[in-house]
Amino acid sequence: MDEFGGQFVSFAKLVMLALVPYVLASQGTMLSGRTGIFNVAQEGIMLVGASAGFLGAYYSGSLVVGILVAMVVGGLFGLALAYFTTTLKMDQFVIGLALFFVGLGLSTLLFKIAIGVTLQPPLIPTLDAVPVPGLSKIPVLGDILFNQNWLVYLTVLLSALLYYVMYQTSFGLALRAVGENPKAADSLGVNVTLMRYGAAIVGGMLMGVAGAYLPMVYTGTFTEGIVRGRGWLSIALAFFGGWSPHLIFLGSLFFAGVEVLALRVQVGGGVSIPYQFLLMLPYVATILVMMPALKWVRPPAFLGRNYDREKRTSV
Amino acid sequence: MVNENAGRILGLDYRKIANQTIPYVAAVGAAFLAAGIFIALMGFDALKAYNTILFTSFKTTNGMVQTLLKFVPLVLQALAFTVPFAAGKFNIGGEGQLIVGAIGATGAGIIFSDLPAVLLLPLVILSGALFGAIWAAIPAWLLYRFNMNEILTTVLMNFISFSLIDYVATKVWRDPAAGHPTTIPIGQGGQLPLLISSPPLHAGLLIAIFVAVVIYIYTDKTSAGYELIATGANPKASRVYGINVPRIFILSLVLGGVLAGLSGAIEVSGSHHRLIEGLQSNYLLLGLIIGLIAKGNNLAVPFVALFIAILEVGASAMQRTMMIPGEMVFIVEALILVFVLLSDVVRRR
């Protein structure tokens, strides 16, 4: 393979690796948003997922345990969000911000209590690549797509599954109806409350795993700046992807691509742009691509609002 | 959706005041109780921790000055949130607006460093406010033109500002003697005068109090402020009554940027006399918590801000003397917020 080809393969592999947290967090955002719950606590949930996931893996010696711990913690945050908004009918953004604060504070506190301040950060092993037998031998594509860690595969499969469930099953239709017109869904016998709880909890779980992925792939330990805005970007992705699983997946590819590109140029050198402007790139690019995108995508009609079946117009 | 009981309680209705205060006291109590149990479980002396958190500010002059210095950016950050919040918009970009405001103030203070104080000081402060306004105008424009969610865009602008301050402090006006990214100092005339010289307390405190009073009068006592609150309470009805709702959204967000930019200018002109990377501390998060605990009531904001400043000064003392992580206090603050919000639900039933 020529040198350019080799460069391309290693770039594409890194993009697939960077894709996972974006996809998980934004599919989680999409899922609860589709039932009308607008989660804005992603950054906090991912941080607490990263911290709890790291600690779970560190003390059990198993990355799978760490991921499960992060999943449970994220699910609890989703449950809290659902309870405060759906049962107590509190303002979604206010409660979302409050949960973001709790997650943010808890992530560092847990780590400091468990580990304390050390000179050498404690490390966990990173996720190994698991080549898929046979498929990984395909030239070029095999190395990019089928020689990755298992969460990469899971992320792709999850997106496909979400697409199937949302658009090919009656359950998916009911779920989407809850976020569009809960009154109508309710009158057709859809359990609006249950849908919203379920979607918020599963969404929180995905965000927790998205957080836990970061120490397991990039740093091997927890740091306060580990999430670096990926949680907020996943809200952008949900809008950008029109609250649809397949478009969100494609959007995530773009986001991951920008992230890897910015890092590459920075490390590779040879470019006269100050590195600070490369670091801005993902955020600037997000705003730029959303400008045209928002013209043709539409968020769920009931996004960010709470449903009260006893009111004529539910606010 | 937000302002159902934005209290207009400047008056003598003590029963109403009590009704508003009791939930706060209960929320603070509940949050401290929860945190105390946690601290005790960790094997620390919870009562000693409380004592440190609550009373460090009052034990020494230094403690008091530290508290007042913290109060200044906190009250401005909180107002940067509550003003758009009154109109139903969420400004989560106070951090970026502070940073860019600080960059603007520093730039003015360095470029025109030879000007006398009578010119340079207002220039530095106003330049900070202007740059904060510009940084907030971008999300405001994106909201107006593309209907882009302002929570998202204001946050993204924060991340962009982190790189911007790094660039300014390492490439544009770098102080080669400093290890940490820092600029050279601004001109002498751009520094805020001191109210007390030792420990130093700068006049930013007066600016913050003045601004807080003006904002309270604006939002709660003027018809322009009423348009703001009406828009937040019911944009549809406001439109019917002839209020230019998109204009109010933009205005409120840009005004938030002015306030946050001002906090950045004061940090430069009063505290550091230069731009230092990281000078924004965690003021944004605390400002949001203050604004939300006050439920957007601009009369309550300064008092809540003072309370949070006391807790923060206590938190660093606790971390120093008892080795309890300072994040514990952040959790307490978040819990106070959650309990205050819950008290609304309880009262509604």
Side-chain angles (χ1 to χ4, degrees), chain B residues 33-203:
Chain B
L33 189 67
I37 293 169
F38 196 66
I39 291 174
L41 284 177
M42 278 158 57
F44 294 104
D45 181 348
L47 286 180
K48 194 176 162 212
Y50 285 164
N51 187 15
T52 313
I53 293 173
L54 286 172
F55 298 116
T56 302
S57 297
F58 305 104
K59 280 179 186 148
T60 60
T61 323
N62 189 39
M64 198 70 238
V65 167
Q66 291 310 318
T67 308
L68 293 174
L69 287 176
K70 268 245 150 74
F71 166 79
V72 173
L74 290 186
V75 77
L76 290 173
Q77 284 285 318
L79 293 171
F81 173 73
T82 55
V83 169
F85 189 55
K89 291 288 132 193
F90 287 76
N91 177 19
I92 318 295
E95 188 165 32
Q97 293 145 19
L98 182 155
I99 288 175
V100 175
I103 292 173
T106 308
I110 291 175
I111 295 170
F112 304 106
S113 60
D114 295 333
L115 287 179
V118 66
L119 291 175
L120 187 55
L121 184 57
L123 187 68
V124 165
I125 300 288
L126 291 178
S127 164
L130 177 70
F131 273 69
I134 292 171
W135 208 244
I138 298 170
W141 177 73
L142 291 169
L143 175 72
Y144 177 75
R145 181 75 180 68
F146 298 98
N147 199 20
M148 221 182 270
N149 183 293
E150 80 284 356
I151 298 183
L152 179 61
T153 48
T154 50
V155 169
L156 294 180
M157 296 303 284
N158 290 343
F159 285 97
I160 296 173
S161 76
F162 298 156
S163 300
L164 201 61
I165 191 176
D166 189 57
Y167 178 70
V168 172
T170 56
K171 297 266 161 62
V172 184
W173 291 303
R174 171 161 179 250
D175 178 1
H180 184 76
T182 304
T183 65
I184 51 175
I186 60 171
Q188 203 87 42
Q191 301 178 4
L192 276 168
L194 294 178
L195 302 175
I196 308 173
S197 55
S198 173
L201 174 64
H202 58 72

Side-chain angles (χ1 to χ4, degrees), chain A residues 225-268:
Chain A
I226 196 166
V227 180
R228 251 200 33 217
R230 288 186 182 89
W232 296 109
L233 288 175
S234 71
I235 303 181
L237 261 170
F239 274 103
F240 178 50
W243 304 83
S244 320
H246 55 300
L247 294 178
I248 284 177
F249 186 84
L250 292 178
S252 300
L253 270 176
F254 171 74
F255 275 47
V258 173
E259 182 189 301
V260 174
L261 190 70
L263 219 67
R264 274 251 149 156
V265 178
Q266 193 186 333
V267 175

Side-chain angles (χ1 to χ4, degrees), chain A residues 38 40 43 84 87-91 93-95 97-98 100-102 104-106 108-109 112-113 228-229 232-233 235-236 239 274-277 279-280 283-284 286-287 290-291 294, chain B residues 1-2 38 42 85 90 92 141-142 146-149 151-152 155-157 159-160 163-164 166-167 170-171 285 288-289 292 319 325 327-328 330-331 334 337-338 341-342 345 348-349:
Chain A
F38 191 177
V40 293
E43 190 83 1
F84 285 127
T87 303
L88 297 184
K89 313 259 187 289
M90 290 159 82
D91 186 286
F93 300 107
V94 172
I95 262 316
L97 286 176
F100 160 57
F101 300 143
V102 173
L104 183 77
L106 213 54
T108 313
L109 186 68
K112 278 196 183 170
I113 291 172
R228 251 200 33 217
W232 296 109
L233 288 175
I235 303 181
F239 274 103
Y275 70 89
Q276 290 95 343
F277 291 98
L279 287 179
M280 288 179 197
Y283 313 107
V284 176
T286 303
I287 291 177
M290 277 182 73
M291 285 182 188
L294 286 191
Chain B
M1 78 184 169
V2 284
F38 196 66
M42 278 158 57
F85 189 55
F90 287 76
I92 318 295
W141 177 73
L142 291 169
F146 298 98
N147 199 20
M148 221 182 270
N149 183 293
I151 298 183
L152 179 61
V155 169
L156 294 180
M157 296 303 284
F159 285 97
I160 296 173
S163 300
L164 201 61
D166 189 57
Y167 178 70
T170 56
K171 297 266 161 62
L285 295 173
L288 297 177
I289 290 184
L292 289 170
Q319 182 155 353
E327 281 78 12
M328 196 67 233
F330 188 77
I331 301 267
L337 171 60
V338 172
L341 296 173
L342 279 175
V345 179
R348 239 179 345 192
R349 302 217 156 155

